[in-house]
Amino acid sequence: MTRTLAAQHQRFALHTPFRISRGVKSAADVVTVTIREGDAVGRGEGVPYPRYGESVEGVLAQIAAVAGSVEGGAGRQTLLALLPPGAARNAVDCALWDLEARLGGRSVAAMLDSPAPGRIASALTIVIDTPAAMARAAAAVARAPLLKVKVDAVDPATQIRAVRSAAPDAALIVDPNESWDEASASAMRDVLVEARVALLEQPASADADGWLEGFDAGVPVCADESVHVAADLDGLAGRYDVVNVKLDKAGGLTAALELASAARARGMGLMTGCMVSSSLSIAPALHVAAVSDFVDLDGPWWLREDRVGGVRDDGGMLRPAARGFWGEP
């Protein structure tokens, strides 16, 4: 049967600005890949991320460069050599998983010999704002089991305390998005302990995180920007306790599962994360989330309108997409 690949840019407006230490965004720009073979259609989504030198145009060009190979029958393992880790490979890889499930009449869960994704606790993000505004945002979702608190290096202590006061029972992940240096982290140690923070995510720049080796942050430290694929793990020894597995960083579900397995083999904790995205990015990530200690898949929560049949948030509990949305025949 003839196989065809198409890729397009889609934009999803956000209902609220998403502010982190390196900037603010008002829309999610994604690249959607569709692979058709006979009557079967597989879909995947990638989110180009400027932090990693990606753009919509660049990702579309990467996909166009391998379209002929994929249309000629190249599979997921071959794709690992055709494209580097990133949003382009993620979109194509996930579309191939979806297509394989539909052609074979077996779900991705069955292909992985694992249970179908179920309802799971997933962090809701409190973005950077004034401490009073962050407290109000936290109070609105205070019953959620897990919150992620975005901070910078200006006044993180007040921001964290404001959220903790408004949400006394939620577990907290604090994410400075690479904005702290060693002095900042040292000054924040007692605050993190006082606020009962469960995880500190990527406090230092990935290009200058050597000081984390042997550093006592008072709480477990998670690598995000410092780890993309399994090959990166050797450089994390002594610096991080947990790794954040994101399909857009790893370049698809195939490489993300490899990273998760390799991290567990090293005795590291796992977190599953995402970019601000639609549910088409989240559905594949649920297969990594099922084996993770922390889950942060609230990308679609920020959209004014998600894809039909996508995942749903229920007070910080993530419900899987409708049957047949992705990865099921």
Side-chain angles (χ1 to χ4, degrees):
M1 287 185 289
T2 301
R3 179 189 285 186
T4 60
L5 183 154
Q8 63 174 321
H9 168 215
Q10 292 183 286
R11 168 167 279 203
F12 294 85
L14 307 189
H15 57 70
T16 305
F18 189 85
R19 295 185 181 89
I20 64 173
S21 64
R22 66 172 66 97
V24 58
K25 66 191 307 178
S26 58
D29 287 288
V30 310
V31 171
T32 305
V33 166
T34 302
I35 305 177
R36 297 178 180 271
E37 187 170 325
D39 293 331
V41 179
R43 299 184 304 156
E45 177 180 290
V47 183
Y49 200 42
R51 167 65 180 83
Y52 304 133
E54 295 179 326
S55 66
V56 168
E57 296 75 18
V59 166
L60 287 170
Q62 283 183 293
I63 294 169
V66 301
S69 296
V70 175
E71 291 175 338
R76 292 180 284 106
Q77 290 302 317
T78 302
L79 185 67
L80 294 174
L82 293 177
L83 284 174
R89 195 171 79 186
N90 180 30
V92 178
D93 178 79
C94 289
L96 286 170
W97 276 100
D98 191 24
L99 180 66
E100 185 175 342
R102 297 178 192 279
L103 287 172
R106 298 175 69 228
S107 69
V108 169
M111 291 160 60
L112 295 172
D113 194 24
S114 62
R119 187 168 175 263
I120 191 170
S122 176
L124 299 179
T125 303
I126 308 300
V127 296
I128 293 175
D129 208 323
T130 64
M134 292 175 73
R136 287 193 296 272
V141 293
R143 293 186 179 181
L146 179 63
L147 301 180
K148 174 181 272 195
V149 187
K150 295 286 190 178
V151 299
D152 51 25
V154 177
D155 192 9
T158 305
Q159 294 168 327
I160 293 167
R161 285 172 172 144
V163 171
R164 172 49 81 204
S165 177
D169 299 323
L172 299 184
I173 299 170
V174 168
D175 186 7
N177 282 108
E178 302 181 278
S179 64
W180 291 0
D181 56 19
E182 186 172 3
S184 300
S186 295
M188 287 299 300
R189 183 186 296 111
D190 290 347
V191 176
L192 298 174
V193 173
E194 166 203 315
R196 294 175 283 113
V197 170
L199 195 66
L200 175 63
E201 184 179 352
Q202 196 69 46
S205 168
D207 301 323
D209 64 356
W211 58 266
L212 281 171
E213 187 164 351
F215 180 81
D216 177 16
V219 301
V221 181
C222 176
D224 182 5
E225 286 84 357
S226 288
V227 59
H228 292 235
V229 294
D232 298 329
L233 290 172
D234 288 342
L236 305 186
R239 301 181 187 184
Y240 299 96
D241 309 292
V242 178
V243 298
N244 187 350
V245 181
K246 290 180 179 175
L247 273 62
D248 275 307
K249 289 189 304 175
L253 179 59
T254 303
L257 290 168
E258 179 185 355
L259 171 58
S261 177
R264 282 295 195 208
R266 287 167 168 78
M268 303 184 78
L270 288 179
M271 175 177 172
T272 303
C274 67
M275 308 302 184
V276 180
S277 63
S278 87
S279 284
L280 189 53
S281 284
I282 305 305
L286 289 175
H287 294 281
V288 182
V291 296
S292 295
D293 307 295
F294 299 91
V295 176
D296 175 28
L297 296 177
D298 71 341
W301 188 58
W302 291 87
L303 306 185
R304 286 184 185 172
E305 187 174 351
D306 192 9
R307 298 182 192 268
V308 175
V311 300
R312 294 169 294 146
D313 172 72
D314 180 14
M317 298 298 294
L318 189 65
R319 294 182 179 274
R323 182 162 181 78
F325 179 80
W326 181 91
E328 293 178 323

